[in-house]
Amino acid sequence: MDTTATVEFHITGYAHPDAQALSAEVQQEYVRRYGDPDFTEMSAEDFEAPAGLFLIAYLDGRPVACGGWRAKEAGGADELREGDAELKRMFVVPDARGRGLARAVLRRLEQTAVEAGRTRFILETGTQQPEAIALYKSEGYTAIRKFGYYKEHPLAVCLGKELVTV
């Protein structure tokens, strides 16, 4: 991470104006890459403790990266497990990329999920996001059975990682 800039991480919740602004930017990124925004249902309540969390990274006071997780119910057609948490809205604004912010956000989210008793992170991404896939794989994420809104979509990629309790 760039050591000349001041980075601060704040748990804001998904309803926070900065979270909504970054979420709108990530939706536009999806439109550029896939032709449509993400249609997965999400609400601010999904990211409220103890069942979820949303955080923002601020670089010199400016919101530049975000991500969150929400607890998922075990079972069902998606074969989710007890202790699963879904990673959502991981994003870094274009002019702040390449500074390690995504990795820092991901690791903080993993830490908070472990602290909340979650045992596995799962996520949906897509083939048009090779840098995201590379990040997740470099952090120990592996392919899992597809789940969620895009489980039948040919461009969807689902990954998971067992979270290590400390």
Side-chain angles (χ1 to χ4, degrees), residues 13-153:
Y14 190 63
H16 189 280
D18 291 340
Q20 289 299 297
L22 287 167
S23 190
E25 283 191 60
V26 74
Q27 289 286 37
Q28 288 308 305
E29 185 82 15
Y30 297 146
V31 170
R32 282 191 291 281
R33 293 182 188 223
Y34 299 101
D36 286 307
D38 179 359
F39 293 115
T40 303
E41 285 188 35
M42 290 180 28
S43 70
E45 294 79 29
D46 292 343
F47 300 95
E48 291 179 3
L53 179 137
F54 199 86
L55 70 80
I56 296 175
Y58 292 85
L59 184 64
D60 291 332
R62 183 172 67 103
V64 296
C66 65
W69 61 265
R70 60 185 182 175
K72 297 300 283 187
E73 295 295 323
D78 290 334
E79 297 181 17
L80 300 179
R81 300 185 336 211
E82 188 68 33
D84 279 352
E86 182 182 18
L87 187 64
K88 294 300 293 179
R89 294 297 183 261
M90 282 286 297
F91 180 68
V92 178
V93 298
D95 68 345
R97 292 178 184 162
R99 300 172 187 225
L101 290 167
R103 190 174 307 276
V105 168
L106 179 61
R107 288 180 179 173
R108 285 193 181 247
L109 290 171
E110 288 176 351
Q111 177 186 352
T112 62
V114 167
E115 291 167 358
R118 301 283 105 196
T119 57
R120 183 174 75 148
F121 255 1
I122 58 173
L123 64 94
E124 293 176 294
T125 187
T127 58
Q128 301 303 306
Q129 294 168 268
E131 65 277 60
I133 293 170
L135 167 70
Y136 295 130
K137 288 189 173 184
S138 76
E139 288 291 318
Y141 287 76
T142 58
I144 62 170
R145 182 182 175 120
K146 287 185 177 182
F147 70 94
Y149 186 88
Y150 294 99
K151 67 183 169 191
E152 303 297 330
H153 198 286

